[in-house]
Amino acid sequence: QAEKVEGKQDRKMLYYLSEGPFFFANPFTWLLRHMRSTEEEVRTAILYLQVNQVNMTVPEMKKILAKPGPKGFGMTPARINEAVFRSAVDTSKEEERRKAAEKYSKEEDKELKEFKEDMLRRAEEHAKKTGEYKTENFKPKLHKLATKKWTGTAGNVVKRLQKELIQIQSTGSFEVELVKDNIFEWWVTIEGAKDS
C-alpha cells in the first residue's frame, strides 16, 4: 500500500513492514520517531526526491540530503535510504544513464572545441608526413558528445575524459565508443598484429 505526500506517492507502510514485525509493532518506534521529528524529516526528503528526480540523479540528490547546513538536509544514511525507498524514485542503472546523458548542453564547450581542432590538425599533419592515410580520406570520426558542454557535477573529470576521447579518436590508434553515450563507460577495440 502507498500513501500520498501532498499528491506524491509514499510507501511508508511497505517500508515499515520490510523492517520486520518488531519495528512495525513496537510502540516505542512510533514514539521515538515522533519525538525526534523523524517522520517529518523523511516526508520532506521524499518530496525533495520526487520533485527533483527529473533533473537530478539519485546519487546527486542523496549528497544534498546528507550535506549539513542551509544548503543540505543533514540526514543520516539510514534516513536517506528510507526516504529513497518510500519515494519510489527510479534508481535503476538505465535511468541513471539517461539522466546523465541529459547533463550535456546543446552547445559546444569552447575549450573542448579548440582542443578538438588542434588534435585534428596534428593528426592530419601526421597523416601527410607519414603517408599512412590519404589526406582526402582522412576524416576521424569523433563521438557526438566529445565537445558538448557538461552541466552536471564532476565537470573537471568529465572534461578530462572528453579530451582523452578526442585524442584517441582523432589519432585512430584504436577504436573507442561510449556505451549508451555514457562518458564513464567505454568500449575499446584494439586491432592485433596480423595472424595473431
Side-chain angles (χ1 to χ4, degrees):
Q1 293 184 350
E3 296 181 7
K4 296 285 183 178
V5 181
E6 294 185 17
K8 302 290 184 179
Q9 186 179 24
D10 181 0
R11 302 188 299 179
K12 180 169 74 173
M13 295 308 295
L14 188 60
Y15 173 78
Y16 284 1
L17 288 170
S18 71
E19 290 294 297
F22 182 77
F23 180 91
F24 180 74
N26 189 351
F28 288 105
T29 298
W30 304 83
L31 180 62
L32 286 172
R33 287 175 70 88
H34 175 72
M35 290 175 61
R36 295 173 179 170
S37 301
T38 302
E39 187 60 29
E40 183 181 344
E41 179 187 43
V42 172
R43 287 164 72 90
T44 302
I46 291 169
L47 277 173
Y48 174 79
L49 288 161
Q50 292 172 336
V51 168
N52 292 285
Q53 65 177 322
V54 176
N55 301 314
M56 299 175 69
T57 63
V58 173
E60 287 172 339
M61 292 189 287
K62 287 173 80 172
K63 280 184 181 178
I64 292 174
L65 291 176
K67 185 184 293 185
K71 293 185 178 180
F73 289 68
M75 294 177 68
T76 64
R79 296 290 72 84
I80 292 171
N81 290 334
E82 178 185 344
V84 170
F85 177 88
R86 286 172 54 178
S87 67
V89 294
D90 192 343
T91 56
S92 68
K93 203 168 185 180
E94 287 301 315
E95 185 66 10
E96 293 296 307
R97 285 173 178 165
R98 182 186 68 79
K99 288 180 181 176
E102 291 175 354
K103 293 294 183 183
Y104 290 98
S105 168
K106 291 183 178 179
E107 59 185 270
E108 285 190 300
D109 182 282
K110 186 178 178 182
E111 182 184 341
L112 290 171
K113 186 178 179 182
E114 291 174 356
F115 183 79
K116 178 192 77 172
E117 291 170 354
D118 182 53
M119 290 305 304
L120 290 175
R121 179 183 54 77
R122 291 185 186 187
E124 189 171 339
E125 287 175 358
H126 178 75
K128 286 178 181 178
K129 188 182 293 185
T130 60
E132 189 175 352
Y133 302 103
K134 292 183 179 179
T135 305
E136 62 271 17
N137 296 328
F138 182 68
K139 291 183 179 179
K141 185 180 178 182
L142 300 182
H143 194 279
K144 62 183 179 181
L145 298 179
T147 58
K148 294 295 182 183
K149 185 177 287 186
W150 175 263
T151 59
T153 57
N156 291 335
V157 175
V158 173
K159 184 173 282 191
R160 177 62 184 167
L161 289 170
Q162 285 175 295
K163 285 185 175 182
E164 292 285 350
L165 183 65
I166 292 169
Q167 191 169 8
I168 292 168
Q169 289 188 325
S170 63
T171 57
S173 52
F174 52 90
E175 292 182 21
V176 171
E177 288 298 329
L178 301 185
V179 178
K180 296 184 180 180
D181 292 340
N182 184 353
I183 193 68
F184 298 105
E185 289 191 53
W186 295 23
W187 181 268
V188 181
T189 305
I190 302 176
E191 187 175 342
K194 190 177 180 180
D195 299 327
S196 63

